[in-house]
Amino acid sequence: MPEYGYFLSCEQYRPADLVEQARMAEQAGFQALWISDHYHPWNDAQGQSPFVWSVIGALSEAVSLPIETAVTCPTVRIHPAVVAQAVATSAVMTEGRFRLGVGTGEALNEHILGDRWPPAGVRMDMLEEAVQVIRRLLTGEEVTHHGTHYTVENARLYTVPDEPVPIDVSGFGPKATALAARVGDGYITMAPDEEMVTRYRKGGGGAKLVSGGTKVCFGTDREECVRTVHDLWYNEQLPGEMGQVLPSPRHFEQLKPLVTEDAVRENVVCGDDVDQHVATLKEFADAGFDRVYVNQIGPDQRGFFDFYRTKVLPQLPH
């Protein structure tokens, strides 16, 4: 049976708000935290994007829950050797309660230094090499690496955790899922797709951790919730590879007319119908996920946590 976690959105909230949400999540009975790693929000209406590693430091002092990035792209914007140092420090500060979630990223966040944004196949190769570099550095040994994509010379991390940090790989298609099965300590995907979970497990993932997440908008006025999602998170309803290749928030804003409020009603749980919230999370349990994370889009954070503490979490399979 799954554990249930809360998904902290760096795109929408200031650092102090994220820390307070983490506290409320722990008090409500959530068992773990995800936190997004972005340079930009998806659109200006979301309005925030604090540096995730600073926020993790604050979270390590505020709560006792496990924490994972969902997800970090350790390939273009930040060199994997620098990511490794951030990971090691986070693991030490959380006393071993940190996992690194990684993925191939989005141009939205990763092209900011003017580097070429490579096609998906190259990005997967870069990610595999980056994971190798990070794992070697996390041992505390001195590393020199001259690879296809990265060079590391005489690098050693002196502050390292006692145990290896698990690295989970995000994947939404067959090739990325195969990569996760081959090199990851776990698998991250955002749809309750039993076929992809089976593909991961049979492809080499075995019994390793499978995690997924979803966004909801709790509130007493369902139509107001629909409008809130449509204003803030319409980007999640865009088809194809747009999320990976568009370079700036304004480009996502130009595509907002493609997403209707009806699409939000159909695809996002909005309102305070307990059965809908429970059913959405049970889909992940039925698909074989080990951890399921939920994010509250709307402004009533305290109401959301009270709602989940008293009405939703008690009904979920644990």
Side-chain angles (χ1 to χ4, degrees):
M1 294 294 102
E3 296 179 335
Y4 297 93
Y6 187 71
F7 191 174
L8 297 166
S9 173
C10 283
E11 303 96 311
Q12 195 178 339
Y13 294 100
R14 298 174 65 83
D17 297 325
L18 295 167
V19 172
E20 180 59 24
Q21 289 171 23
R23 289 193 182 101
M24 290 191 288
E26 186 167 36
Q27 293 165 1
F30 286 98
Q31 298 163 287
L33 296 172
W34 261 1
I35 184 166
S36 56
D37 181 355
H38 270 239
Y39 194 90
H40 293 136
W42 295 97
N43 55 69
D44 281 359
Q46 291 173 357
Q48 297 293 329
S49 200
F51 189 52
V52 69
W53 302 105
S54 300
V55 180
I56 289 170
L59 293 173
S60 72
E61 294 295 309
V63 298
S64 61
L65 297 177
I67 301 167
E68 179 168 16
T69 54
V71 292
T72 293
C73 178
T75 59
V76 178
R77 170 171 47 106
I78 304 180
H79 192 283
V82 179
V83 173
Q85 186 180 27
V87 169
T89 300
S90 297
V92 170
M93 292 186 72
T94 58
E95 299 180 331
R97 293 177 285 109
F98 181 76
R99 298 179 76 96
L100 174 65
V102 298
T104 56
E106 304 92 15
L108 174 73
N109 300 304
E110 307 307 325
H111 86 294
I112 59 168
L113 302 179
D115 298 280
R116 169 178 174 264
W117 184 238
V122 175
R123 299 202 308 270
M124 282 190 276
D125 290 342
M126 295 173 72
L127 180 61
E128 183 167 1
E129 186 177 336
V131 168
Q132 294 170 355
V133 169
I134 292 168
R135 281 205 175 106
R136 287 184 62 192
L137 285 165
L138 288 174
T139 65
E141 69 180 43
E142 184 178 299
V143 173
T144 293
H145 170 89
H146 296 277
T148 303
H149 302 287
Y150 303 105
T151 297
V152 180
E153 290 190 352
N154 307 117
R156 178 186 170 190
L157 297 180
Y158 280 80
T159 301
V160 294
D162 294 332
E163 300 294 331
V165 177
I167 301 178
D168 300 336
V169 178
S170 173
F172 304 108
K175 291 182 180 179
T177 301
L179 175 65
R182 187 171 69 254
V183 307
D185 297 306
Y187 175 49
I188 293 171
T189 192
M190 297 305 289
D193 189 333
E194 184 176 3
E195 179 183 349
M196 297 308 291
V197 173
T198 300
R199 182 188 293 269
Y200 168 75
R201 297 205 185 281
K202 289 186 175 180
K208 294 176 181 177
L209 186 73
V210 174
S211 302
T214 189
K215 294 183 181 296
V216 303
C217 187
F218 165 80
T220 56
D221 184 334
R222 183 170 186 263
E223 288 307 303
E224 180 63 27
C225 289
V226 169
R227 289 189 290 272
T228 296
V229 175
H230 188 255
D231 286 341
L232 294 176
W233 285 93
Y234 57 87
N235 56 282
E236 294 223 326
Q237 307 305 317
L238 293 172
E241 294 184 75
M242 294 182 190
Q244 285 71 54
V245 300
L246 295 178
S248 75
R250 73 174 180 274
H251 291 99
F252 285 93
E253 290 164 3
Q254 290 167 7
L255 297 181
K256 184 179 180 181
L258 298 179
V259 179
T260 65
E261 289 188 2
D262 284 340
V264 171
R265 289 188 191 92
E266 183 177 345
N267 293 294
V268 183
V269 174
C270 294
D272 59 356
D273 186 319
V274 176
D275 291 341
Q276 285 189 342
H277 286 264
V278 170
T280 293
L281 298 185
K282 278 187 173 179
E283 288 182 12
F284 287 90
D286 293 341
F289 284 72
D290 301 303
R291 282 186 181 170
V292 186
Y293 296 81
V294 60
N295 171 257
Q296 158 70 346
I297 292 174
D300 188 1
Q301 292 292 325
R302 188 165 297 280
F304 165 85
F305 285 114
D306 287 342
F307 177 68
Y308 265 67
R309 176 179 57 83
T310 58
K311 297 182 178 180
V312 178
L313 292 178
Q315 294 193 47
L316 294 172
H318 287 73

